[in-house]
Amino acid sequence: MRGALSGLTTRGRCLLAAGIAALLCAVVLNERDLLRVAVFVVALPVLAAWLAQRARVGLHASRFLFPSRVQVGSATDVRVELRSTGRLPTGGLLLEDAVPYALGSRPRFVVERLPRNTVTSLRYPLKPVLRGIQQVGPLMARVTDPFGLAEFDRELAGRSQLVVVPRVVGLAGLPSGSGMGAGDDGSIRLRAGQGEDDAVVRQYRHGDDLRKVHWRSTARRDELMVRVEERPWRGGTTVLLDHRQTAHRGTGPGSSLEWAVSFAASVCLHLHRFGHQVRLVGDDGRVLAGGSGDGGHSDAVVLDALAALQPSHRREPAAGLDPGAGQEVIALLGGSTPAVVDALVRNRPRGMRSLAVVMDVRAWAAATEDPAPDPEEARRLLTGAGWGAVVARPSTPMGQVWQELCHSAGNRGPVVRTEVG
């Protein structure tokens, strides 16, 4: 009984106190009519608390998400099924499902009557605005009596996981002058007897080693051509995502980090559609996801990895490592100082094909945030090292940034053409 009385509301407690006072007065004054009223006033909140507690014990609920994996900006439908197994019908039921701020406001429902052994379905939509592994729940129920004299809270359903993957933008085309544009795996080309014979040549410049003159190309073009030492492409592309917290600006879904994550997802899925092997690597050199171009499975692995990605607290990228590990690389860089760019270029073999998107994070920054490095300086350093590099801003569509990057791949460094010789 003590547990039942603990659920009395302020109205119920006041009514109980008034009933007890009336009961004492009836005994002192020997008033039978007042005694009957006092007994009724005392019994009413006690009976209401007992019924509300019994109704709380017989409640059960289940939550279902359709789908449980959704893209930022898309909607998912949540269905809650309620069932009462108590002997009496339940009424005055207030439900509230805990929802993170990134998914919207908390939904609330009022169920006036819940019949015994009958399933009642409640639905509400969620439209996430921020990627992540979100937890929906717990579902809390507040059971009250019709007079508002007692109420009890109970957790009916635990937490359900909702995976919110980054937004993916459709891209068109592939970088020219690179293995990605060949449309085949480098291992196939090597087995065909062509891989090691590929020669990347350019026009002779004063000071070049004459031992590197490519005589077949010289005879064909009627000008002196020299061979550029470059490793053959052996299939696969590494997408390097700079997710250092210090390298990005802005907060929430409009931050530069969320733009970079969305662009990385778009690039990985775009290359998967062309059957290319793609590795997704963080700024610490850790492989976040890797696929073999097998369609939907690789896409799901990449999207799930990016959904769970958190900002890195490193101030500088991992030193002494080639992020591409012998593959072509597409680097998505936040605000990068010349020292960061120099370390990236120094650890990357000059002969390997490399592309970079340098984000102008100043365009995402709030007025109170620290200033960011000039992206044009980073782009010039990368271009001077033979990289294809472009600057990205929030006002430029991702598709246009990708087109500019594809165009820069054909105009990077001194490489002119590839010939078999």
Side-chain angles (χ1 to χ4, degrees):
M1 181 59 68
R2 181 178 299 178
L5 294 180
S6 64
L8 289 176
T9 62
T10 302
R11 180 186 301 176
R13 293 176 187 274
C14 292
L15 190 62
L16 181 62
I20 294 175
L23 183 63
L24 293 176
C25 292
V27 172
V28 172
L29 300 176
N30 194 22
E31 289 285 343
R32 291 181 177 271
D33 292 337
L34 181 60
L35 180 62
R36 295 188 185 98
V37 174
V39 171
F40 174 77
V41 172
V42 170
L44 184 60
V46 173
L47 181 62
W50 180 77
L51 291 176
Q53 186 183 40
R54 290 293 300 272
R56 179 188 67 162
V57 174
L59 287 176
H60 302 278
S62 301
R63 185 193 302 105
F64 305 94
L65 279 66
F66 304 98
S68 60
R69 187 171 174 275
V70 68
Q71 191 175 125
V72 170
S74 300
T76 184
D77 186 51
V78 182
R79 187 179 72 194
V80 177
E81 293 185 352
L82 295 175
R83 178 186 292 270
S84 175
T85 59
R87 294 186 177 182
L88 297 176
T90 303
L93 184 62
L94 174 63
L95 297 176
E96 181 179 81
D97 211 358
V99 172
Y101 78 95
L103 300 181
S105 59
R106 293 188 172 188
R108 294 182 177 181
F109 303 93
V110 176
V111 180
E112 296 181 355
R113 180 179 175 83
L114 187 63
R116 180 172 176 265
N117 290 330
T118 300
V119 176
T120 300
S121 295
L122 304 174
R123 292 177 179 269
Y124 65 90
L126 290 178
K127 192 172 183 180
V129 297
L130 188 64
R131 64 174 179 86
I133 309 298
Q134 307 290 356
Q135 300 293 331
V136 181
L139 176 65
M140 301 299 298
R142 176 168 294 178
V143 184
T144 62
D145 68 285
F147 302 104
L149 301 178
E151 63 180 20
F152 292 91
D153 292 333
R154 181 187 173 187
E155 180 179 321
L156 296 184
R159 291 178 171 83
S160 301
Q161 181 173 282
L162 177 64
V163 180
V164 184
V165 301
R167 183 172 64 96
V168 177
V169 176
L171 305 177
L174 290 172
S176 59
S178 68
M180 288 181 293
D184 57 354
D185 193 301
S187 60
I188 298 176
R189 290 159 46 193
L190 289 178
R191 290 195 297 269
Q194 301 178 14
E196 298 296 349
D197 292 332
D198 284 359
V200 180
V201 296
R202 61 169 170 80
Q203 294 178 345
Y204 174 83
R205 296 177 181 176
H206 181 71
D208 285 338
D209 190 351
L210 293 178
R211 292 175 296 181
K212 295 183 179 180
V213 173
H214 194 261
W215 297 109
R216 182 174 299 182
S217 299
T218 299
R220 184 180 296 120
R221 302 192 59 177
D222 197 23
E223 58 180 325
L224 200 59
M225 307 292 292
V226 295
R227 184 191 302 271
V228 178
E229 297 296 338
E230 186 167 8
R231 299 178 185 177
W233 183 73
R234 298 183 181 274
T237 302
T238 294
V239 176
L240 170 63
L241 176 59
D242 181 8
H243 57 101
R244 293 174 296 140
Q245 189 171 14
T246 56
H248 291 277
R249 299 294 185 272
T251 58
S255 66
S256 61
L257 176 60
E258 296 305 315
W259 191 97
V261 169
S262 179
F263 189 77
S266 303
V267 170
C268 291
L269 268 61
H270 180 66
L271 295 180
H272 280 164
R273 284 194 290 271
F274 284 86
H276 295 291
Q277 299 180 10
V278 180
R279 287 192 327 142
L280 180 63
V281 178
D283 54 67
D284 56 357
R286 180 172 58 93
V287 177
L288 303 176
S292 56
D294 54 352
H297 178 68
S298 293
D299 293 351
V301 171
V302 170
L303 291 176
D304 288 349
L306 289 174
L309 183 68
Q310 297 295 324
S312 168
H313 296 289
R314 300 174 60 93
R315 299 195 62 85
E316 304 292 340
L321 296 175
D322 172 21
Q327 294 182 336
E328 293 187 345
V329 67
I330 299 177
L332 309 180
L333 304 178
S336 300
T337 62
V340 171
V341 175
D342 180 68
L344 181 63
V345 170
R346 185 171 60 251
N347 296 324
R348 180 75 178 155
R350 189 178 182 85
M352 296 301 297
R353 300 180 176 94
S354 307
L355 305 175
V357 175
V358 183
M359 301 177 62
D360 186 4
V361 297
R362 299 174 302 179
W364 279 274
T368 57
E369 291 186 287
D370 297 333
D374 183 8
E376 292 295 339
E377 183 177 4
R379 185 190 63 81
R380 286 192 296 269
L381 292 174
L382 290 168
T383 303
W387 287 52
V390 298
V391 175
R393 297 178 175 85
S395 58
T396 307
M398 291 186 185
Q400 182 177 338
V401 174
W402 175 252
Q403 291 293 331
E404 293 176 359
L405 187 66
C406 293
H407 180 71
S408 70
N411 298 322
R412 61 177 185 83
V415 178
V416 177
R417 57 179 296 185
T418 302
E419 297 186 2
V420 177

